Amino acid sequence: HLASYIVRSQPRIRTMLDGWRLSGNKETFLSQLQKNQEVKNIVWSETPWLLEATTEAEQQARLGTLFDLNRLSGDRMTALTQLKNLQDTEGAWSWYKGMPGNRSLTTYITELLVRIPLMTKEAVPAELLDMQQSAFGYLHQEASKEYDRMREIEKKGGKNLVPSGEITTYLYLTALSGEKVPAAHAAAYRYFLEKVRLNLPAGTMACKAQSAIILQKAGRTAEAKAFIASLKEHLVQTEETGASFAFLDRPYNWGMMPVPTQVDAMEALLLVEGDTPLVEEMKLWLLKQKQTQSWNSPVATADAVYALLCQGSDLLQNRGDVRITLGKKVLETPAPARTTVPGLGYLKETFTQGSPELRATSVTVEKRDAGIAWGAVYAQYLSPLADVKQQGNGLEVEKNLYVERTLAGGQVQRQPVTATTRLAVGDKVVSCLTLRVSRAMDFVQLQDRRGACFEPTVSLSGYSWDNGLNYYREVEDASTNFFFDRLGKGVYLVEHSDRVTRTGVYEAGLATLQCAYAAEFAAHSSSMTVTVK
């Protein structure tokens, strides 16, 4: 249903997809993991993410089929029939036919049904409205059961009982849809409505956003604005990434919960205060998340589409007109025929040694319409390893070496390896890699090149769990590589050890860190000289 609405209200998307199909450009449907191989520290074919890249490429290739109006009607009827068959007589949905009704699944599906008319601004089809009414019947009954349990606890002396997250979502859906609560369940509804204010001190951001909408729809505007004020107190704003809840950057919860939380807060801000400028800043955060992450959660993706296309200003009115000036060379993106991928404004230009553009001392980027755009400049050059300094952009990696020494009492102590340290054959040297990540990223790869005097103590590749990190470690002749499916914002420590096998003076090697999904986020450490006597 959402696909049908998008293709009817945004014909430019249909035109763009047709252009992709007819262009024959091999890069059109490539996964971000497969693009720009020449600037990545580890090529795609040597990573454990071959299946993920293939899956994403197939998903993009199927977009044309998804937005085919000739198929949408039939596919929608098939989906509605399957959904109806999974709903039991009480109005609940189960995971599979014949299983007991599941309250959380029923709540989620009901939320999608309630949001459809908000997205499309059209009347709900009769078959969907029937399923929604039946689902609300089930949710009313579940709320009344919880009401009875809480009243029993209060009779035994319980006080200030806070409604559960499921109850808050039930009240939110009732308010958003305008559902009339039956008289048999009115007492439970009124009881829980009075309890909503208790979500203010310690509720999650999603809970507070839903509470604001519940109170606003109930006519209690002052209380609703108190929840909005609390949401704003927790928002942080930067020029590059817009407005978001900073503490959600670190954890990467099941189902990409930071995205639905952001969408709930945006919805509350619009419904209670109509705060469009702030909502646009929160949209920016959503888009920047997609820059570095593969949204493999249908729940989060549907929420993001709802927020980006159906709230605030129309981002698709932005054509992405950008002019880039490098010396006397001018690159522009508005002409679809000149872009690498039609309709996406993606332009790629390579300058080789001897090109006059390489003598330019600055790059000027001019964005000539509203909205956002992003890109990157890569420079590849040869330099003595000893002259390389630590650098990073959005990512940082610091490499430190420690030698393990056995003290007189038998204790093992790590001592930092410096320019004056003299190693001996047989010493165990630990490479400590400190990673700093500025935002949540998927598919991050770390390559630690080892000096020629070192041999790894662990020669087998495989998955490891260390210092709170889960990763795949690959041991190669000249380096040890680490692959992280995802990293949240924060600081991490990765360690591995080598044995000294020969005497001489050697370079310890660089550590390079890069987001394979967005190659512009990369970093490398500095090197150091080690002496073995």
Side-chain angles (χ1 to χ4, degrees):
H1 198 92
L2 180 57
S4 176
Y5 162 72
I6 291 174
V7 76
R8 283 185 284 105
S9 62
Q10 304 290 347
R12 284 180 56 196
I13 292 181
R14 174 73 261 172
T15 302
M16 182 186 69
L17 290 171
D18 289 340
W20 289 5
R21 180 172 50 84
L22 298 173
S23 69
N25 191 326
K26 293 183 179 180
E27 290 193 35
T28 301
F29 297 116
L30 287 181
S31 164
Q32 292 296 113
L33 290 169
Q34 297 166 284
K35 293 180 180 178
N36 298 322
Q37 289 298 309
E38 67 275 16
V39 296
K40 295 184 178 178
N41 62 347
I42 301 175
V43 297
W44 163 68
S45 59
E46 296 180 358
T47 71
W49 301 314
L50 300 183
L51 180 60
E52 284 85 350
T54 303
T55 300
E56 186 175 51
E58 291 173 347
Q59 289 173 343
Q60 295 185 55
R62 288 198 298 267
L63 278 176
T65 302
L66 173 64
F67 289 104
D68 185 349
L69 282 173
N70 294 326
R71 295 189 54 173
L72 277 175
S73 179
D75 290 347
R76 182 169 54 189
M77 291 304 300
T78 300
L80 287 176
T81 300
Q82 293 175 342
L83 191 62
K84 181 63 178 176
N85 290 337
L86 283 172
Q87 191 174 29
D88 61 26
T89 55
E90 292 183 343
W93 276 283
S94 57
W95 291 105
Y96 294 99
K97 185 70 174 177
M99 291 181 65
N102 183 275
R103 185 178 179 185
S104 61
L105 180 62
T106 303
T107 300
Y108 168 63
I109 295 176
T110 306
E111 182 175 357
L112 293 180
L113 296 179
V114 167
R115 279 182 168 174
I116 284 176
L118 300 177
M119 290 187 282
T120 64
K121 306 299 189 293
E122 298 172 352
V124 179
E127 59 270 29
L128 284 179
L129 189 58
D130 290 343
M131 283 189 279
Q132 178 179 312
Q133 291 295 324
S134 182
F136 266 116
Y138 167 79
L139 295 177
H140 289 320
Q141 292 179 7
E142 290 299 306
S144 290
K145 292 177 183 177
E146 191 161 339
Y147 164 71
D148 292 338
R149 289 192 294 268
M150 291 181 70
R151 293 295 288 172
E152 285 296 322
I153 294 174
E154 287 180 337
K155 289 179 181 178
K156 296 177 181 179
K159 296 180 179 180
N160 296 324
L161 301 181
V162 179
S164 65
E166 290 178 319
I167 285 296
T168 301
T169 304
Y170 157 73
L171 296 175
Y172 159 76
L173 294 177
T174 302
L176 204 61
S177 64
E179 167 74 10
K180 301 296 184 183
V181 180
H185 306 290
Y189 177 80
R190 289 193 299 269
Y191 172 83
F192 288 125
L193 186 60
E194 291 301 317
K195 292 282 186 180
V196 169
R197 58 183 174 79
L198 299 178
N199 290 329
L200 185 57
T204 64
M205 296 302 104
C207 177
K208 290 182 180 182
Q210 291 181 348
S211 298
I213 294 173
I214 293 167
L215 294 168
Q216 177 71 13
K217 293 291 185 179
R220 296 158 66 167
T221 304
E223 293 177 86
K225 288 186 175 182
F227 278 92
I228 294 298
S230 179
L231 288 175
K232 289 182 176 181
E233 287 174 353
H234 289 87
L235 283 172
V236 294
Q237 189 169 340
T238 65
E239 184 177 358
E240 181 184 0
T241 59
S244 65
F245 300 104
F247 48 84
L248 289 180
D249 287 343
R250 179 64 176 83
Y252 203 103
N253 297 328
W254 177 88
M256 286 180 58
M257 291 308 293
V259 172
T261 298
Q262 183 88 347
V263 173
D264 285 343
M266 292 166 63
E267 184 180 49
L269 286 167
L270 279 175
L271 289 178
V272 177
E273 290 194 340
D275 199 336
T276 304
L278 183 55
V279 169
E280 295 304 317
E281 289 296 312
M282 297 180 75
K283 276 187 177 183
L284 173 57
W285 180 86
L286 279 178
L287 285 173
K288 295 298 282 185
Q289 297 308 294
K290 188 64 186 76
Q291 180 186 11
T292 58
Q293 299 173 38
S294 172
W295 286 353
N296 55 5
S297 164
V299 177
T301 303
D303 279 341
V305 170
Y306 171 65
L308 294 173
L309 292 185
C310 308
Q311 297 186 34
S313 64
D314 184 1
L315 293 181
L316 292 180
Q317 294 301 316
N318 168 28
R319 299 187 63 86
D321 294 353
V322 177
R323 174 183 290 147
I324 305 168
T325 306
L326 178 63
K328 295 183 179 181
K329 181 75 172 181
V330 178
L331 306 175
E332 300 197 46
T333 62
R338 295 186 56 207
T339 58
T340 303
V341 180
L344 293 188
Y346 174 59
L347 185 66
K348 182 177 179 180
E349 191 84 13
T350 302
F351 303 101
T352 58
Q353 187 173 359
S355 300
E357 289 79 14
L358 297 184
R359 292 193 292 271
T361 58
S362 63
V363 179
T364 303
V365 180
E366 180 186 0
K367 183 75 165 62
R368 293 178 293 175
D369 62 354
I372 65 170
W374 58 72
V377 177
Y378 305 93
Q380 295 179 325
Y381 55 92
L382 296 176
S383 175
L385 199 59
D387 295 342
V388 177
K389 306 299 181 183
Q390 181 178 333
Q391 290 185 345
N393 173 36
L395 292 171
E396 293 181 21
V397 56
E398 181 182 353
K399 178 177 179 177
N400 293 292
L401 297 181
Y402 296 87
V403 59
E404 290 190 353
R405 304 291 193 193
T406 302
L407 303 180
Q411 296 178 332
V412 177
Q413 183 185 65
R414 286 185 181 181
Q415 299 175 357
V417 177
T418 65
T420 60
T421 302
R422 295 295 181 262
L423 300 176
V425 173
D427 280 345
K428 181 180 180 180
V429 175
V430 180
S431 180
C432 295
L433 306 169
T434 303
L435 318 181
R436 291 179 175 84
V437 185
S438 64
R439 69 176 72 166
M441 296 184 185
D442 288 349
F443 308 114
V444 179
Q445 51 199 26
L446 169 66
Q447 183 177 61
D448 185 20
R449 296 179 177 87
R450 72 176 68 91
C453 61
F454 296 130
E455 288 294 334
T457 57
V458 177
S459 58
L460 295 179
S461 301
Y463 281 97
S464 298
W465 178 266
D466 186 34
N467 291 327
L469 277 175
N470 186 28
Y471 54 81
Y472 184 82
R473 182 185 64 249
E474 178 185 54
V475 182
E476 294 191 336
D477 291 340
S479 67
T480 300
N481 303 329
F482 302 86
F483 300 93
F484 308 91
D485 287 337
R486 58 187 59 91
L487 286 178
K489 179 180 179 181
V491 180
Y492 303 92
L493 179 64
V494 178
E495 297 180 349
H496 67 99
S497 59
D498 300 291
R499 288 285 182 185
V500 179
T501 59
R502 56 185 65 85
T503 60
V505 179
Y506 304 89
E507 282 295 326
L510 298 178
T512 57
L513 181 66
Q514 188 173 47
C515 175
Y517 201 77
E520 61 268 31
F521 292 95
H524 61 74
S525 70
S526 58
S527 183
M528 65 177 296
T529 301
V530 294
T531 303
V532 183
K533 294 294 186 180

